[in-house]
Amino acid sequence: ELEPYDGKLYIGLGGALTVDDNPNNDYLWVCDDCGDGSDDFAKVADLPNIDPDSLFVIKLFVALDKMLVGTVNFENGFSFLSYDAGSDTWDVIVDGPNDGGMFDPYNIYLWSGAGPVNGRVFIGTFNPVTITEIPRGTAELWYSDDGVNWFQYPMPIGWSLLNYGIRNMVVGDNGKSLFLLSASNMVAPDVVDIDNPLQAGTEVWAIRDTKVASPSGGSKKGKGRKNK
């Protein structure tokens, strides 16, 4: 993944994040002056050590003046971090066996992200267990008003339970609507005549009222870490 942020170009990498059982935080690199013709990337200094079972960075995107980083982790669910260049601070939002994958180890990776939409940023997950792990099966949509505290957003009525991922999302209507593209139905791709919520095929949804009231619970506060 490549993502420009704060006048720099960042790249998220893959590969084992442990060497001889020692944490390796080589997953994010930066080029300070790539716009001037330089191609010199260096490891981002003072990166948080994350779950060694994370395989690689699959998503980098910028919203609410922060850079958001999501990994792939087949063991414990993805790690999710945010970086605020203004304060030079990392927040580890979820990571590891206790809360990886937004508290669901079957959320293997953070597959998409977009914002702001009505002042909010959204992420979508890949969750291959679909209907076998009620109530947490199928892809999930999460949102934040500050990039640090996150809440699960209810999926639209009629959203297929066989949608195993939110493959892409984009902002439309001048920041007033969120459009979701699903990855759907590995289980029964030839079944086309079953009514929702078990229909087959890719779906495209528009969510036009994204400013639902924040729930009283379920948030995840990141663990602030200021770089030296």
Side-chain angles (χ1 to χ4, degrees):
E1 282 279 285
L2 280 174
E3 184 68 22
Y5 175 59
D6 191 42
K8 303 175 183 180
L9 183 63
Y10 288 83
I11 180 171
L13 299 178
L17 297 184
T18 59
V19 178
D20 297 328
D21 295 325
N22 295 314
N24 184 346
N25 58 358
D26 287 351
Y27 54 91
L28 194 63
W29 291 61
V30 63
C31 182
D32 287 337
D33 52 4
C34 282
D36 296 327
S38 170
D39 58 358
D40 295 329
F41 279 87
K43 187 180 75 171
V44 173
D46 299 314
L47 273 175
N49 290 328
I50 60 175
D51 185 353
D53 287 316
S54 286
L55 298 178
F56 55 88
V57 172
I58 193 172
K59 189 65 181 177
L60 291 175
F61 71 106
V62 174
L64 304 181
D65 298 321
K66 302 178 188 295
M67 183 173 64
L68 302 172
V69 182
T71 73
V72 171
N73 189 321
F74 286 88
E75 296 296 325
N76 300 312
F78 62 78
S79 298
F80 184 26
L81 306 90
S82 73
Y83 176 61
D84 186 329
S87 61
D88 195 23
T89 300
W90 283 94
D91 283 293
V92 180
I93 298 165
V94 295
D95 174 60
N98 293 325
D99 56 19
M102 309 308 280
F103 314 97
D104 182 357
Y106 294 111
N107 279 324
I108 292 172
Y109 43 89
L110 190 164
W111 214 0
S112 56
V117 186
N118 294 318
R120 288 183 164 165
V121 59
F122 288 81
I123 61 169
T125 75
F126 172 94
N127 189 320
V129 300
T130 61
I131 60 175
T132 64
E133 294 293 333
I134 297 295
R136 291 297 300 274
T138 192
E140 295 181 355
L141 183 65
W142 288 73
Y143 73 91
S144 175
D145 293 319
D146 58 12
V148 176
N149 295 285
W150 291 80
F151 301 87
Q152 190 172 0
Y153 192 93
M155 301 309 297
I157 295 174
W159 174 266
S160 174
L161 295 179
L162 296 178
N163 286 331
Y164 59 87
I166 301 175
R167 181 62 187 89
N168 198 7
M169 61 175 70
V170 295
V171 179
D173 297 335
N174 296 314
K176 297 179 181 178
S177 297
L178 180 68
F179 296 90
L180 306 179
L181 173 67
S182 77
S184 183
N185 202 356
M186 293 184 295
V187 179
D190 297 324
V191 177
V192 296
D193 59 353
I194 300 177
D195 292 336
N196 276 330
L198 296 176
Q199 70 178 19
T202 293
E203 299 175 358
V204 178
W205 287 84
I207 302 177
R208 306 192 189 279
D209 183 14
T210 62
K211 200 64 176 177
V212 297
S214 295
S216 58
S219 69
K220 171 59 182 176
K221 179 66 171 72
K223 296 163 282 204
R225 181 179 304 179
K226 187 168 183 178
N227 293 345
K228 303 297 184 182

